[in-house]
Amino acid sequence: KNQVEQSPQSLIILEGKNCTLQCNYTVSPFSNLRWYKQDTGRGPVSLTIMTFSENTKSNGRYTATLDADTKQSSLHITASQLSDSASYICVVSAGSNYQLIWGAGTKLIIKP
Amino acid sequence: DAMVIQNPRYQVTQFGKPVTLSCSQTLNHNVMYWYQQKSSQAPKLLFHYYDKDFNNEADTPDNFQSRRPNTSFCFLDIRSPGLGDAAMYLCATSLTYRDRGSNQPQHFGDGTRLSIL
């Protein structure tokens, strides 16, 4: 069964600190892996999309890694800001169609 | 700025009274999607249009319908809303998902939060 699991479920860190969010997936066939940021009451916003051959991709202070062998991805946030408080969702695309397998997300809270 | 716009942001309707949610896009994307998202859950795909071709998810209730009169607009109709239909409804677009377009991101609107009285 295609599944995407994220950890931790929630995380609280102090402003300025770094953090890493995890995503494990069992999706076949694998097409790409996406990280989205969703602010409360808003729609998700795409942070990165990585294909099988990409190990790392950055978007400002966000850096995503992908290990296709172990089927794991991580999202690293550097020098966190209050505006980083949001849910971060890992999404895996199965095949070349529109089928996206969504993780439950990690709720990140940045405290001043 | 090119974007996906959903109206209204908040919608209140009565149990059993039909309601329509709207979505427009200025991205000129081929694909438009409708998702249902309940509190603290991942979005659930209801259906999507690839150009004029409608694609329904197998587990989407018949109570939910959609229309896409042109490239820019897409509507979600809920014929007889029940209490369980209270949720955030998200519209998204993507340029394509076929062939090498499978890596295209989805662009989301900010959603319509539907409440049922």
Side-chain angles (χ1 to χ4, degrees):
Chain A
K1 180 182 176 183
N2 287 334
Q3 279 187 321
V4 175
E5 294 182 349
Q6 293 187 242
S7 62
Q9 191 173 21
S10 61
L11 181 64
I12 302 174
I13 64 171
L14 293 175
E15 184 180 11
K17 297 296 186 183
N18 303 335
C19 66
T20 300
L21 314 180
Q22 300 291 342
C23 173
N24 296 335
Y25 62 92
T26 53
V27 176
S28 182
F30 174 88
S31 178
N32 58 70
L33 185 145
R34 308 156 183 233
W35 283 96
Y36 282 92
K37 177 188 179 189
Q38 185 173 23
D39 293 319
T40 301
R42 307 290 296 272
V45 174
S46 179
L47 295 175
T48 63
I49 297 178
M50 288 184 293
T51 61
F52 184 89
S53 60
E54 295 176 297
N55 300 120
T56 185
K57 188 168 263 190
S58 292
N59 179 355
R61 294 179 297 102
Y62 301 101
T63 299
T65 64
L66 174 64
D67 186 333
D69 291 331
T70 61
K71 298 187 178 181
Q72 296 179 325
S73 176
S74 65
L75 181 69
H76 186 74
I77 304 175
T78 304
S80 61
Q81 301 177 357
L82 296 178
S83 60
D84 292 332
S85 293
S87 287
Y88 291 84
I89 309 175
C90 175
V91 186
V92 180
S93 175
S96 61
N97 59 20
Y98 60 92
Q99 293 289 356
L100 299 180
I101 313 301
W102 292 73
T106 292
K107 186 175 177 64
L108 177 65
I109 297 172
I110 311 296
K111 290 201 166 183
Chain B
D1 288 342
M3 57 178 62
V4 181
I5 302 169
Q6 292 188 244
N7 285 306
R9 289 295 311 278
Y10 302 92
Q11 176 75 55
V12 181
T13 191
Q14 292 179 332
F15 182 94
K17 185 174 181 179
V19 65
T20 295
L21 310 182
S22 71
C23 176
S24 65
Q25 57 134 339
T26 59
L27 297 160
N28 203 33
H29 281 174
N30 296 313
V31 195
M32 295 187 78
Y33 309 80
W34 279 105
Y35 286 87
Q36 179 192 65
Q37 186 176 29
K38 296 189 174 180
S39 183
S40 301
Q41 295 183 19
K44 178 181 182 297
L45 182 64
L46 296 173
F47 27 58
H48 76 277
Y49 273 95
Y50 198 113
D51 293 328
K52 295 182 179 180
D53 294 333
F54 178 70
N55 299 270
N56 198 28
E57 292 300 293
D59 57 354
T60 298
D62 292 339
N63 199 26
F64 292 85
Q65 304 285 323
S66 186
R67 296 170 283 136
R68 188 179 186 186
N70 54 53
T71 300
S72 301
F73 286 87
C74 196
F75 300 97
L76 170 61
D77 301 309
I78 308 177
R79 291 192 297 186
S80 181
L83 296 179
D85 297 329
M88 172 80 87
Y89 290 88
L90 294 165
C91 174
T93 73
S94 66
L95 179 61
T96 183
Y97 55 72
R98 293 174 180 167
D99 302 320
R100 296 185 178 182
S102 62
N103 297 333
Q104 293 289 325
Q106 290 187 352
H107 299 261
F108 286 83
D110 280 334
T112 294
R113 182 165 295 283
L114 179 66
S115 299
I116 314 295
L117 298 180

